[in-house]
Amino acid sequence: MRIAILAHEKFPGRAKTALGLLRYSDDEVVAVLDRDTAGSRVRDFVGDVQDAPIVASMADAPDCDALVVGIAPIGGGFEESWRDDVRTALRNGCDLVAGLHYFLEDDDEFSELAAAHGGDIWDVRRPPADLTVADGVAGEVDAEVVCTVGTDCSVGKMTATMELCEAARAAGHDAAVVPTGQTGIMIENWGVPVDRVVSDFTAGAVESMILEKGDEYDYLFVEGQGSITHPAYSAVTCGILHGAQPDSLVLCHEAGREAVHGYESYPLQPVETYVDLYEELAAPVRETGVVAGALNTVSVEDDAAARDAVDEFADTLGTPATDLVRFGAGDVLEAIL
Amino acid sequence: MRIAILAHEKFPGRAKTALGLLRYSDDEVVAVLDRDTAGSRVRDFVGDVQDAPIVASMADAPDCDALVVGIAPIGGGFEESWRDDVRTALRNGCDLVAGLHYFLEDDDEFSELAAAHGGDIWDVRRPPADLTVADGVAGEVDAEVVCTVGTDCSVGKMTATMELCEAARAAGHDAAVVPTGQTGIMIENWGVPVDRVVSDFTAGAVESMILEKGDEYDYLFVEGQGSITHPAYSAVTCGILHGAQPDSLVLCHEAGREAVHGYESYPLQPVETYVDLYEELAAPVRETGVVAGALNTVSVEDDAAARDAVDEFADTLGTPATDLVRFGAGDVLEAIL
């Protein structure tokens, strides 16, 4: 697939989904749409992802198969200033992919244009209609299931999941990602937005994905969400833990994070507390353990200091650890596989 | 309010909602509709609830303000054999209350009849549209918040919640129930069906209820759901625990239960495991503790054996315990207040 990514006025700093696609998607990115930085290239800003020209509008983009909305305004609405780009894409017969709270399929103009020109609209945040409660059987699949879990939101669980799966593939294993959030779903072109499903179906949504892929692969890497002690999001975390029935866990943490992101009155716990909680909570459904750590050292400028932080994290966990982006998988992969 | 309760072919054994209303509702039940047992009275079957005549149809029921659907077929659909009763009720200007998965407000005939005759239709399983993520502030309300938690589904959390609130009121305290499931919502005439909300809003849904009532009462008794180690429903349990930020927990268990109801390959854990998990999982958001036990001894015929089971449960917990229905609140209330 050839895709264009809409990221107006937000590339690269506030375009997490766009960056995720540029870094991990198998699709070819033919252009990023950002009217603020048009005329430059992705590589002018970010070094370690696929390159693409940055253009001001869809009219300036090369031919492609899909337009992906790669940013989300606060509130998840649709910005009317994007309408011309979406129109142009749909008139060209492109598919439209978006992860907004506002579903583009429900926009009359867009649905009519898509029907008229043969494009599909995929609102990745709309959960499938056929979800139900878990049967408690995810543990029965052939694949070994590895789940990323975290000390908080936004510590790098999606990134760790992608990096670990790539590393496993590079080592010759048949591995797949089980995506649970919008960016992961866009990258992998399938998945269920677990945070949007009916709460009673949280574990069931994950289980259905494990069952769908579990006999096709040797390893499944399940993208975790939130944290088991998060004041707002722990329900989703808990449902993934029990629904996925993982064989092993990789604990993700950001170096220097001291309080829950956006809930600063809640200090993070000692790392050992998360290990104990995830393992003890999982055990009655399926015994599992934290076998490795993924430390996000993006806030640590100096490589030596980052290496020290990783070593300390590994010591605390009593398992191998790494910053997957900065230092590669190293002995973490061996601990998992 | 004067209400009639529809329970065709299921009263009393398979009419949990009907029985809950007869036992705990402040509304006057003018009739139970059950074509199988019509002509008898509630008291012919159940001793410790309000009495009412059992009639074959709404046409035979005394005047009332609302018809409540007090049963749920497997799948939660609407039985067409109930349509005549619902029609009659709406034509009489009654409100209609139901907790089905199928929303009666979306039935064209019913919505037109309700509009024409001035009745309201309340589908209690439809979550409010304005829910959002938790802010992590439920702990700030004036009320002391008590949450029932369980070793499994269907061990008596709703019943324990109602009994404890009644006992607190009888002792002169200003107390209210925070209902999270359909029967509790019908009994209390307000509440959010927490298992039906968007998973990301699970804690937020509970928090919004705590904030709504928390400064009006001295004690709030939050109806728990599921169990923290349930293979399918733990997400909802976890969201309630962190969203409600309870000051204390009452652990509910059924005597003799050995495996997860409906998931028989999963044995229940030792009772102490649940105490540890609930307390350790809650602590990073808000310190709390199991201060009492509520044992459901319905399966134990002999009173002395039931008393022994309660004593053993109390010993294991190291707190007071009781069967609230069989033996009353006893010293459990003191441990909570």
Side-chain angles (χ1 to χ4, degrees):
Chain A
M1 283 247 296
R2 291 160 53 84
I3 66 173
I5 306 176
L6 186 152
H8 282 308
E9 300 169 13
K10 296 203 167 159
F11 191 84
R14 290 170 296 149
K16 182 175 153 181
T17 297
L19 278 178
L21 287 164
L22 286 162
R23 179 165 283 134
Y24 298 115
S25 176
D26 291 335
D27 297 332
E28 182 189 345
V29 179
V30 298
V32 169
L33 277 54
D34 182 353
R35 56 176 80 95
D36 281 359
T37 50
S40 54
R41 298 188 64 85
V42 167
R43 280 281 168 81
D44 297 336
F45 301 101
V46 198
D48 55 350
V49 302
Q50 66 168 296
D51 197 18
I54 302 179
V55 299
S57 74
M58 196 63 198
D60 304 326
D63 275 354
C64 62
D65 304 307
L67 173 64
V68 182
V69 178
I71 50 178
I74 290 169
F78 180 79
E79 290 276 338
E80 281 303 319
S81 70
W82 306 342
R83 187 167 287 270
D84 266 345
D85 291 318
V86 173
R87 264 188 207 127
T88 304
L90 290 171
R91 283 195 187 121
N92 292 346
C94 287
D95 294 337
L96 176 62
V97 181
L100 304 171
H101 282 291
Y102 173 76
F103 294 144
L104 300 191
E105 200 182 359
D106 296 341
D107 184 290
D108 287 342
E109 184 186 8
F110 296 158
S111 63
E112 282 162 24
L113 279 171
H117 299 274
D120 288 324
I121 300 178
W122 184 28
D123 290 298
V124 305
R125 265 203 159 139
R126 195 198 295 266
D130 59 351
L131 295 175
T132 181
V133 298
D135 289 323
V137 297
E140 294 170 14
V141 299
D142 292 339
E144 192 142 331
V145 176
V146 183
C147 196
T148 52
V149 292
T151 58
D152 196 4
C153 292
S154 306
V155 295
K157 287 179 291 290
M158 192 274 284
T159 298
T161 308
M162 297 294 162
E163 295 284 344
L164 287 169
C165 186
E166 281 196 359
R169 284 178 185 155
H173 299 285
D174 209 7
V177 164
V178 174
T180 60
Q182 59 167 327
T183 303
I185 293 169
M186 287 182 181
I187 292 168
E188 297 295 320
N189 278 311
W190 76 291
V192 177
V194 175
D195 58 352
R196 312 306 302 167
V197 308
V198 166
S199 59
D200 236 9
F201 303 162
T202 311
V206 180
E207 182 185 78
S208 72
M209 288 192 282
I210 303 275
L211 295 180
E212 186 179 338
K213 302 287 181 180
D215 294 332
E216 282 175 45
Y217 294 91
D218 297 326
Y219 294 95
L220 293 181
F221 290 90
V222 180
E223 179 194 3
Q225 295 289 340
S227 146
I228 199 61
T229 65
H230 195 285
Y233 302 131
S234 64
V236 175
T237 312
C238 187
I240 295 175
L241 185 70
H242 285 147
Q245 304 200 350
D247 297 286
S248 58
L249 305 173
V250 175
L251 185 68
C252 304
H253 179 54
E254 184 181 359
R257 181 83 59 104
E258 290 182 351
V260 178
H261 179 68
Y263 295 76
E264 311 297 329
S265 67
Y266 292 93
L268 287 202
Q269 305 296 307
V271 165
E272 302 90 318
T273 301
Y274 297 96
V275 175
D276 291 345
L277 280 176
Y278 281 114
E279 292 182 350
E280 287 164 14
L281 187 59
V285 177
R286 186 177 176 83
E287 290 273 356
T288 189
V290 172
V291 300
L295 188 70
N296 173 352
T297 64
V298 72
S299 64
V300 182
E301 209 165 308
D302 178 63
D303 273 354
R307 177 64 73 185
D308 287 347
V310 164
D311 289 344
E312 194 191 323
F313 190 53
D315 279 350
T316 307
L317 292 178
T319 72
T322 187
D323 181 324
L324 285 152
V325 173
R326 193 168 201 157
F327 301 126
D331 53 356
V332 156
L333 193 65
E334 205 172 307
I336 294 170
L337 304 186
Chain B
M1 284 247 296
R2 291 160 53 85
I3 65 172
I5 306 177
L6 186 152
H8 282 307
E9 300 169 15
K10 297 203 167 160
F11 191 83
R14 291 170 296 150
K16 183 175 155 182
T17 298
L19 277 178
L21 287 163
L22 286 162
R23 181 164 282 134
Y24 297 115
S25 176
D26 292 335
D27 297 332
E28 182 189 346
V29 179
V30 299
V32 169
L33 277 54
D34 183 352
R35 56 176 81 95
D36 281 359
T37 50
S40 53
R41 298 187 63 85
V42 168
R43 279 281 167 81
D44 297 335
F45 301 100
V46 199
D48 55 349
V49 303
Q50 67 168 295
D51 196 18
I54 302 180
V55 299
S57 74
M58 196 63 199
D60 303 326
D63 274 352
C64 62
D65 304 308
L67 173 64
V68 181
V69 178
I71 51 178
I74 290 169
F78 179 79
E79 291 276 338
E80 282 303 319
S81 70
W82 307 341
R83 188 167 288 273
D84 266 346
D85 291 319
V86 173
R87 265 187 206 126
T88 304
L90 290 171
R91 282 193 188 121
N92 292 346
C94 286
D95 294 337
L96 176 62
V97 181
L100 303 171
H101 282 293
Y102 173 76
F103 295 143
L104 301 190
E105 200 182 0
D106 296 342
D107 183 290
D108 287 343
E109 183 186 8
F110 296 158
S111 63
E112 281 161 25
L113 279 172
H117 298 275
D120 288 324
I121 299 178
W122 184 28
D123 290 298
V124 305
R125 267 203 158 140
R126 194 197 295 267
D130 59 351
L131 295 174
T132 181
V133 298
D135 288 325
V137 297
E140 294 171 13
V141 299
D142 292 340
E144 193 142 330
V145 176
V146 182
C147 195
T148 52
V149 293
T151 59
D152 196 2
C153 292
S154 307
V155 294
K157 288 180 289 291
M158 193 274 283
T159 299
T161 309
M162 296 294 164
E163 294 284 345
L164 287 169
C165 186
E166 280 195 359
R169 283 178 186 154
H173 299 285
D174 208 6
V177 164
V178 175
T180 61
Q182 59 166 328
T183 304
I185 293 169
M186 285 182 182
I187 292 168
E188 298 294 321
N189 279 311
W190 76 292
V192 177
V194 174
D195 58 353
R196 311 306 302 167
V197 308
V198 166
S199 58
D200 236 9
F201 303 161
T202 311
V206 180
E207 182 184 80
S208 72
M209 289 191 281
I210 303 276
L211 296 180
E212 187 179 337
K213 302 287 181 181
D215 294 332
E216 282 174 44
Y217 293 91
D218 297 327
Y219 294 95
L220 293 182
F221 290 89
V222 180
E223 178 193 4
Q225 295 288 339
S227 145
I228 199 61
T229 65
H230 195 285
Y233 303 131
S234 63
V236 175
T237 312
C238 187
I240 295 175
L241 186 69
H242 285 147
Q245 305 199 350
D247 297 287
S248 58
L249 305 174
V250 175
L251 185 68
C252 304
H253 179 53
E254 184 180 0
R257 180 82 60 103
E258 291 183 351
V260 177
H261 179 67
Y263 295 76
E264 311 296 331
S265 67
Y266 292 93
L268 287 203
Q269 305 296 305
V271 166
E272 303 89 318
T273 301
Y274 296 96
V275 175
D276 291 345
L277 280 176
Y278 282 114
E279 293 182 349
E280 287 164 15
L281 187 60
V285 177
R286 187 178 178 85
E287 290 273 357
T288 189
V290 172
V291 300
L295 188 70
N296 173 352
T297 63
V298 73
S299 64
V300 183
E301 209 165 308
D302 178 62
D303 273 354
R307 177 64 72 186
D308 286 348
V310 163
D311 289 345
E312 194 191 325
F313 190 54
D315 278 350
T316 307
L317 293 177
T319 71
T322 187
D323 181 326
L324 286 151
V325 173
R326 191 167 201 159
F327 300 126
D331 52 355
V332 156
L333 193 66
E334 205 172 306
I336 294 170
L337 305 185

